[in-house]
Amino acid sequence: MRKGISERTKIGVIFSTPYFVFAIVFFLIPLVWAVWLSTMDWNLMAIEKTWVGLGNYLSAFTSERVQAAFLNTFKYMAVLIPGVTIFATGIAVLLHNLPQSIKGVYSVSFFIPYLTSGVAVSVVVRYFFSYSSVFNTFLRDQLNVDVRWFQDPTPAFFIITGIIIWKISGYYALIILAALESIPKEIHDAAAVDGATGVQGFFRITLPMIVSSYSTVIVLLAGLIFGIFSEPFLLTGGGPNLATTSWYLELYTTSFVKFDSGMGAAIAILNAIQIFITIRLITYVLNKIDYNAR
C-alpha cells in the first residue's frame, strides 16, 4: 500500500522551495543567458544580433588582456595567500594572548579595515603616492630617490597587494582566532610540562590542530582574489603594461567601455571555469595536508 507524503517531507519542501526559486532566478537563468550571450556579437542595445558561435571564446584566448588577467590571478595568489595568512595568524595569536576584558575591543579594531570602502582607501593611497605628495617630495629632496609608483609594474603591483593584505587580514584573523580559542588549555599546559617552548608548542601542537581553519581561509581568499576590481580600477586602470589587471576589470572594460557584451560574457564563462578548476585543486591539496596533519 502506497504511503502518503509525510509531514516531515512537506516541511522540508516548504523550507527548501525559496532556496530553489532563488537559485533558479538568480543563478540558473542568468547562467544560461550568459552562455547564450557569449555566442553572440551584440552590445545589448542594438536591434540586430549576430551569432558567432565560439568566435568570442577564440578571441578571448588570443587576447593579450585576457591572458594577462589569467596570469595575474596566480600572481595575486602567490603574494596574497601567504601574505594574508601570515598577517592574519600574527593578529590572531596577538588577540589570543590578550586579557579577556580587552580582547573584544581589539578584535573589532582589526576588523574595521575590512569594512572600509575600497574606493576610499584607493583614493587616499593614490594621493599618498602621487608625484607631488609630501612623501614623494621628501624622497626626491632628501634622499634623491624618484620612484614612479604607478608607472612601474613592480611597485604598482605591490601597492595594490599591500592594500588588500591590510584590508582583509583582520577578517581572516577572526577565523583563525576562533580555531585558537577552541583548543583546550589543558593541551598547552601538558606541552609546557613536557618542556615545549612557545614556538615549539605553536608549530607542533597548535598549528596542526587549526589546519582546517587555514583551509577555510585559503579557499575564501582564493575566491576573493578572483574578484579584485576596485584597487586596480582606481589606481592603475590595470596597467602599467597590464601588470595589475584582473578578470573583473577586463569584464568591466569589455562589457561597459567597449560595449562588446558577447565577448564580456565569454570572458565571464572563462573566468568561472578558472575559478572552478583552481578552487578544486586548492581544496584537494588542502584536504591532503589536513589529512596528513591528523
Side-chain angles (χ1 to χ4, degrees):
M1 183 177 177
R2 185 177 179 183
K3 296 182 179 178
I5 301 175
S6 67
E7 195 67 24
R8 186 183 180 87
T9 302
K10 291 178 181 176
I11 294 174
V13 171
I14 291 172
F15 278 98
S16 60
T17 297
Y19 169 77
F20 283 113
V21 172
F22 180 88
I24 291 171
V25 173
F26 293 103
F27 176 72
L28 186 59
I29 293 176
L31 177 63
V32 172
W33 190 78
V35 172
W36 170 80
L37 182 60
S38 69
T39 63
M40 307 298 292
D41 180 12
W42 187 35
N43 62 6
L44 296 180
M45 293 178 286
I47 297 175
E48 293 185 357
K49 314 176 187 63
T50 305
W51 188 78
V52 295
L54 297 177
N56 286 326
Y57 290 95
L58 296 176
S59 299
F61 277 121
T62 56
S63 167
E64 184 183 15
R65 301 187 66 89
V66 175
Q67 292 173 1
F70 175 82
L71 295 175
N72 284 350
T73 301
F74 294 112
K75 285 170 56 182
Y76 279 120
M77 283 186 179
V79 175
L80 290 176
I81 289 179
V84 172
T85 304
I86 292 171
F87 274 92
T89 301
I91 294 170
V93 171
L94 175 66
L95 294 172
H96 179 61
N97 290 292
L98 286 176
Q100 198 66 34
S101 58
I102 61 173
K103 188 177 293 184
V105 175
Y106 278 87
S107 298
V108 172
S109 68
F110 282 109
F111 186 72
I112 288 176
Y114 183 75
L115 302 176
T116 307
S117 166
V119 175
V121 175
S122 298
V123 170
V124 173
V125 170
R126 187 175 182 82
Y127 174 77
F128 182 82
F129 287 105
S130 65
Y131 181 80
S132 57
S133 69
V134 175
F135 178 62
N136 267 333
T137 303
F138 172 80
L139 290 180
R140 287 195 303 272
D141 296 345
Q142 304 299 323
L143 304 178
N144 198 27
V145 174
D146 187 9
V147 182
R148 305 300 175 96
W149 299 100
F150 297 118
Q151 285 74 44
D152 190 326
T154 301
F157 179 79
F158 282 103
I159 286 173
I160 289 175
T161 53
I163 293 172
I164 296 173
I165 290 173
W166 169 80
K167 195 172 186 310
I168 64 177
S169 290
Y171 172 77
Y172 293 105
L174 295 182
I175 298 175
I176 300 173
L177 176 63
L180 290 173
E181 298 283 339
S182 67
I183 300 176
K185 186 175 180 297
E186 291 76 12
I187 294 178
H188 295 294
D189 294 339
V193 170
D194 289 339
T197 62
V199 176
Q200 289 173 332
F202 178 78
F203 283 102
R204 296 185 180 181
I205 297 173
T206 304
L207 199 55
M209 296 186 71
I210 62 172
V211 165
S212 57
S213 67
Y214 281 105
S215 300
T216 304
V217 168
I218 291 173
V219 170
L220 291 175
L221 185 55
L224 181 143
I225 290 170
F226 281 100
I228 291 174
F229 176 76
S230 299
E231 292 81 8
F233 175 70
L234 291 168
L235 293 175
T236 63
N241 299 325
L242 301 175
T244 59
T245 193
S246 65
W247 278 106
Y248 277 24
L249 192 56
E250 292 310 312
L251 278 171
Y252 171 81
T253 303
T254 304
S255 300
F256 300 107
V257 177
K258 299 178 181 177
F259 293 103
D260 190 353
S261 301
M263 179 72 167
I267 294 174
I269 299 296
L270 293 176
N271 177 27
I273 293 172
Q274 189 192 13
I275 291 173
F276 178 77
I277 295 174
T278 305
I279 296 295
R280 288 291 298 173
L281 288 174
I282 290 175
T283 305
Y284 175 79
V285 173
L286 292 175
N287 287 339
K288 285 284 186 185
I289 295 174
D290 191 13
Y291 178 79
N292 293 328
R294 293 179 181 177

